[in-house]
Amino acid sequence: MNPTHAFNFDVVVIGAGAAGLFCASQAGQHGLKVLLIDHSEKIAEKIRISGGGRCNFTNRDATPAQFLSENPHFCRSALSRYTPQDFIELLQRYNIPFHEKHKGQLFCDRSAEDVINMLVAECDAGSVTRWQPCSVKDVTVEADENYRLQTDRGPVSAGQVVIATGGLSIPKIGATDFGYRLARQFGLRLVEPRPALVPLTFDGEDWAPFAQLAGLALPVLVETGAADATPKQRKKATVFSEDLLFTHRGLSGPAVLQVSSFWQEGQPVRVNLAPGTDLPNLLLQAKARSKKLIANELASLVPSRLADAWVSADPALQRPISDATDKALQGLAQRLADWQLVPNGTEGYKKAEVTVGGVDTRDLSSQTMESKQPGLYFIGEVVDVTGWLGGYNFQWAWASAYACAQALLVRQATLADN
């Protein structure tokens, strides 16, 4: 092939994950000539491994309130135009069985492969050309304002380019900083990326008393915020009611993954290890009627391993509950109900489910996902919009992809008229 000859498309979508596949399929089905490129041999790996292999593909209750961004209002437009019900109806057209597991979280009954196969079929229905594995080496704008991409399979020319390359989370399945580098190349701002929906870690010596609890899971309330937060500020804090999991290095489980997206270095995490339990009164009642050890009485209120760990850390509590002072029991109850600890970090991108931060929404249109650079769009996780745990990030992928696809059609019509 002549190296100067370029393959011509209306749209090139870079990144064949959830957002990229869906955007390409929507644009293709509306008549655009679409090329979908991914550098990995296997597409949609994040879909494949999500939800324990069953893909938590959306959340029935998704609203803008469950998304983090420097501009929390940015996601409203896209989320309102493509809802969880819209995606549910797409699955139903493909007869894909699913179920609600917890708090609006929807999972495939069989396998995440059902969703991947559906998205590929949707791309096929739109005659989308797919190249993978194929890397993009360079993206430039030509004199005629078309984009020229240098790829492993030769040069490509297109009037519009969509970046759906995701964030930095889980590099072992192909995550890279390509989208961020391209944004910078075209003068777009970034919100500093960091791992999110990720386990928290603690200093080894500080964590030693709790390492023995590895594997223990229990329902908790958890929140984070500045150490000097006023009671009013704490009242406004986002509190998650989920399961917590102790690990050898720190804390994990849905409660901690949720709060990790909000946690900032140096901030404490506050955990109520016995939510819904009136520990002070119950311990005082036990003191009046029992001669058992405090640890034994406490084990009737919280998991026994937790009771043993808490009591063993304080010699004053290693006695029959009838011999304990009211002050000691109230102090024990307080520490369990408001356990405050400061993480030294997270497990990083290798364990993070998503990336907080990304392409600054100030440089994107909330209606179209088009950037300040005409014809260049950013969708999905690469954008500074991050959902809570529980299907919200997939819903952002579908919604931002849909908004972008609609905009591609409008702009293509304008390009054709010119």
Side-chain angles (χ1 to χ4, degrees), residues 47 63 69 79 83 94 100 102 115 130 158 165-166 208 215 218 227 229 257 260 279 333 336 341 348 407:
I47 295 177
T63 72
S69 174
L79 290 172
T83 67
Y94 279 82
E100 182 172 335
H102 175 63
V115 173
R130 291 191 288 121
T165 50
L218 70 160
L257 298 186
S260 71
L279 283 177
L336 283 163
L341 60 170

Side-chain angles (χ1 to χ4, degrees), residues 57-394:
F57 56 83
T58 191
N59 192 296
R60 197 187 294 277
D61 304 323
T63 72
Q66 289 95 22
F67 292 84
L68 291 74
S69 174
E70 291 287 302
N71 175 8
H73 300 295
F74 180 84
C75 63
R76 288 181 180 276
S77 176
L79 290 172
S80 68
R81 285 183 287 148
Y82 194 85
T83 67
Q85 187 57 40
D86 291 320
F87 196 75
I88 289 168
E89 289 172 3
L90 178 59
L91 262 71
Q92 290 172 332
R93 290 206 297 275
Y94 279 82
N95 296 313
I96 296 174
F98 62 89
H99 60 279
E100 182 172 335
K101 187 174 180 181
H102 175 63
K103 296 185 176 181
Q105 299 172 20
L106 301 183
F107 291 77
C108 296
D109 284 359
R110 295 185 298 239
S111 164
E113 293 291 342
D114 283 350
V115 173
I116 297 172
N117 292 337
M118 177 191 75
L119 293 172
V120 170
E122 285 286 287
C123 283
D124 290 344
S127 300
V128 173
T129 301
R130 291 191 288 121
W131 289 358
Q132 93 258 351
C134 178
S135 293
V136 177
K137 307 299 185 185
D138 189 38
V139 180
T140 55
V141 180
E142 299 180 306
D144 61 0
E145 297 190 349
N146 265 6
Y147 288 87
R148 190 174 183 90
L149 291 76
Q150 300 298 333
T151 82
D152 288 348
R153 303 196 187 188
V156 176
S157 180
Q160 304 185 85
V161 174
V162 180
I163 307 303
T165 50
L168 299 172
S169 52
I170 323 183
K172 70 179 180 181
I173 62 170
T176 75
D177 65 348
F178 178 90
Y180 304 147
R181 285 188 279 115
L182 197 72
R184 287 195 185 98
Q185 176 188 327
F186 286 98
L188 308 182
R189 290 168 286 189
L190 292 180
V191 174
E192 187 65 29
R194 58 185 174 84
L197 300 184
V198 62
L200 297 174
T201 60
F202 298 86
D203 178 78
E205 189 173 325
D206 292 344
W207 191 247
F210 311 108
Q212 62 182 302
L213 296 175
L216 174 66
L218 70 160
V220 302
L221 295 177
V222 62
E223 64 178 282
T224 189
D228 57 353
T230 66
K232 186 176 181 181
Q233 289 171 326
R234 286 185 62 176
K235 191 173 182 181
K236 290 183 176 180
T238 301
V239 180
F240 292 101
S241 174
E242 296 277 5
D243 282 356
L244 172 143
L245 173 68
F246 284 85
T247 73
H248 290 291
R249 289 163 47 86
L251 296 173
S252 187
V256 169
L257 298 186
Q258 292 281 35
V259 85
S260 71
S261 298
F262 296 83
W263 177 74
Q264 300 283 348
E265 188 174 350
Q267 288 183 343
V269 172
R270 292 181 291 273
V271 184
N272 182 344
L273 292 162
T277 303
D278 188 353
L279 283 177
N281 277 338
L282 290 173
L283 288 174
L284 289 176
Q285 289 173 20
K287 175 185 175 179
R289 60 168 169 73
S290 173
K291 295 188 182 298
K292 290 182 180 179
L293 292 173
I294 293 174
N296 292 341
E297 284 294 344
L298 186 59
S300 68
L301 304 173
V302 300
S304 58
R305 289 173 65 193
L306 183 65
D308 289 341
W310 242 250
V311 170
S312 65
D314 185 351
L317 297 175
Q318 294 164 21
R319 62 185 66 193
I321 195 165
S322 57
D323 294 345
T325 66
D326 290 359
K327 183 178 180 181
L329 294 177
Q330 288 171 340
L332 172 61
Q334 173 64 23
R335 290 193 296 277
L336 283 163
D338 190 19
W339 183 30
Q340 298 192 32
L341 60 170
V342 179
N344 70 354
T346 75
E347 290 283 4
Y349 288 116
K350 68 181 185 295
K351 293 286 183 70
E353 295 192 15
V354 294
T355 304
V356 162
V359 178
D360 196 320
T361 59
R362 290 177 296 176
D363 292 339
L364 303 177
S365 163
S366 63
Q367 300 288 319
T368 66
M369 310 307 293
E370 187 176 15
S371 70
K372 293 192 303 183
Q373 169 65 39
L376 181 63
Y377 303 75
F378 292 81
I379 60 175
E381 190 183 342
V382 73
V383 178
D384 175 35
V385 174
T386 306
W388 290 6
L389 182 74
Y392 299 101
N393 287 293
F394 277 127

